């Protein structure tokens, strides 16, 4: 199995409400097993094709993290079993107390994950594929795992050019950090909605892709530093020896505080996210 950064579920869990909102927005666009006409009417332009008929029986969350969002899929599809996969043993350990007869978790690398063809009703992968440069090459395998009429739902951060990440890459490339950290920060070039439409349409799917910029209002001192320490900055911080890590965090935090000034109401973090929801042909 390939290695990944050692994630800290507690750090990642800070600002859980803000991190969870894109997941909810993503899943809401999957029109499978939606009860009642009213729920369908509330959908704004979901992916074309089969509407809300049928019920999901098997749902997989690829990149499930600590499992708190995965668990919400039990209520979204009450007849389904839900299985979460994540490459981080620490995340899966945190998720395991949530497991029950309908909800299971395992450690696994998305690049190596396979499922029997046409065995899954819904695959969700939220804020995960941005770590995989060859992510578009994985999509055909995900589609093959779906039953006819099944759904694939993807969300990734698209903020690689934001100050939070630009400062991170710049600082990681300077001495004395570059020897350890250069190249460890998240890349800026992730697929956009158009690339997802092209890749998934080529697999015979009906596709709905879009982007949204959230304006999160974060509480606490140097809130953006606390946010990125749980996600984008973690590989860089982890790559540094102990005697440099604190120094890097202090320099990085000072520059973030200048780029994202704290106001009386909190700190505003604009955060672009990219979504794609695709339905496999029946």
């Amino acid at each position: 199995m390939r290695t990944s950064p050692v994630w800290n579920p507690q750090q990642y869990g800070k600002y859980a409400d803000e991190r969870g909102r894109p997941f909810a927005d993503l899943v809401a666009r999957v029109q499978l097993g939606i009860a009642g006409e009213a729920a369908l009417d509330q959908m704004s332009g979901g992916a074309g094709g089969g509407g809300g008929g049928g019920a999901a029986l098997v749902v997989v969350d690829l990149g499930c993290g600590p499992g708190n969002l995965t668990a919400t899929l039990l209520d979204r599809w009450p007849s389904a079993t839900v299985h979460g996969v994540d490459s981080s043993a620490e995340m899966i350990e945190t998720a395991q107390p949530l497991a029950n007869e309908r909800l299971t978790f395992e450690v696994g690398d998305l690049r190596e994950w396979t499922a029997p063809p046409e065995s899954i009703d819904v695959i969700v992968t939220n804020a995960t594929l941005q770590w995989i440069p060859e992510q578009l090459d994985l999509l055909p395998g995900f589609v093959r795992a779906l039953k006819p009429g099944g759904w694939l739902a993807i969300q990734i951060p698209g903020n690689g050019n934001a100050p939070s990440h630009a400062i991170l890459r710049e600082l990681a490339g300077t001495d004395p950090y570059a020897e350890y950290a250069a190249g460890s920060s998240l890349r800026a070039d992730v697929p956009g909605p158009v690339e997802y439409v092209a890749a998934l349409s080529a697999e015979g799917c009906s596709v709905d892709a879009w982007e949204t910029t959230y304006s999160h209002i974060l509480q606490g001192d140097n809130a953006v530093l606390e946010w990125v320490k749980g996600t984008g900055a973690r590989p860089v911080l982890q790559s540094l020896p102990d005697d440099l890590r604190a120094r890097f965090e202090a320099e990085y935090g000072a520059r973030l505080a200048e780029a994202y000034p704290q106001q009386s109401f909190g700190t505003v973090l604009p955060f672009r996210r990219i979504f794609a929801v695709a339905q496999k042909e029946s």
Side-chain angles (χ1 to χ4, degrees):
M1 181 181 299
R2 305 186 192 198
T3 59
S4 69
V6 178
W7 297 104
N8 183 324
Q10 289 70 40
Q11 185 71 39
Y12 182 81
K14 292 185 178 182
Y15 309 113
D17 288 347
E18 290 82 2
R19 293 194 194 278
R21 183 178 170 189
F23 183 92
D25 291 345
L26 174 69
V27 172
R29 299 293 281 269
V30 178
Q31 297 183 35
L32 179 63
I34 302 170
E37 299 268 341
L40 282 173
D41 289 342
Q42 291 174 4
M43 291 292 184
S44 55
L57 300 179
V58 181
V59 177
V60 174
D61 184 1
L62 297 177
C64 63
N68 57 309
L69 297 176
T70 312
T72 67
L73 301 177
L74 297 174
D75 293 331
R76 179 63 176 79
W77 290 291
S79 300
T81 58
V82 178
H83 185 59
V85 180
D86 200 280
S87 63
S88 168
E90 292 77 16
M91 288 293 194
I92 293 299
E93 182 180 1
T94 299
Q96 287 295 359
L98 300 172
N100 55 44
E101 66 278 2
R102 290 180 52 214
L103 178 62
T104 57
F105 298 97
E106 71 168 324
V107 177
D109 193 312
L110 269 63
R111 293 165 291 193
E112 300 167 358
W113 177 84
T114 59
E118 301 187 352
S119 60
I120 299 171
D121 295 288
V122 180
I123 295 174
V124 177
T125 178
N126 178 70
T128 299
L129 292 180
Q130 72 274 12
W131 297 104
I132 304 176
E134 68 275 21
Q135 62 159 293
L136 294 180
D137 296 334
L138 302 181
L139 301 186
F142 296 167
V143 174
R144 283 194 297 272
L146 294 172
K147 297 175 183 177
W151 293 77
L152 171 63
I154 298 167
Q155 184 273 126
I156 62 169
N159 64 334
N161 288 315
S164 56
H165 289 63
I167 294 170
L168 180 67
R169 285 191 297 272
E170 180 186 346
L171 189 58
T174 63
D175 291 330
Y177 312 117
E179 177 183 353
Y180 308 96
S184 62
S185 56
L186 192 61
R187 303 178 333 145
D189 55 333
V190 297
V194 173
E195 287 92 340
Y196 279 121
V197 169
L200 291 166
S201 295
E203 300 303 315
C205 296
S206 300
V207 188
D208 180 21
W210 70 100
E211 63 180 69
T212 296
T213 298
Y214 297 88
S215 293
H216 297 307
I217 301 176
L218 307 181
Q219 303 302 318
D221 293 334
N222 214 337
V224 176
L225 175 64
E226 292 302 309
W227 177 288
V228 296
K229 281 168 58 178
T231 51
R234 188 153 187 83
V236 174
L237 292 171
Q238 194 173 293
S239 72
L240 297 170
D242 293 343
D243 59 335
L244 287 181
R245 187 177 301 116
R247 175 179 167 183
F248 181 94
E249 185 175 319
E251 289 187 43
Y252 182 44
R255 294 180 64 175
L256 287 178
E258 183 177 352
Y260 300 92
Q262 185 174 357
Q263 308 290 331
S264 60
F265 53 81
T267 301
V268 178
L269 173 63
F271 203 117
R272 175 178 177 251
R273 293 186 182 268
I274 299 162
F275 299 79
V277 172
Q279 186 180 25
K280 184 176 180 178
E281 60 185 353
S282 299

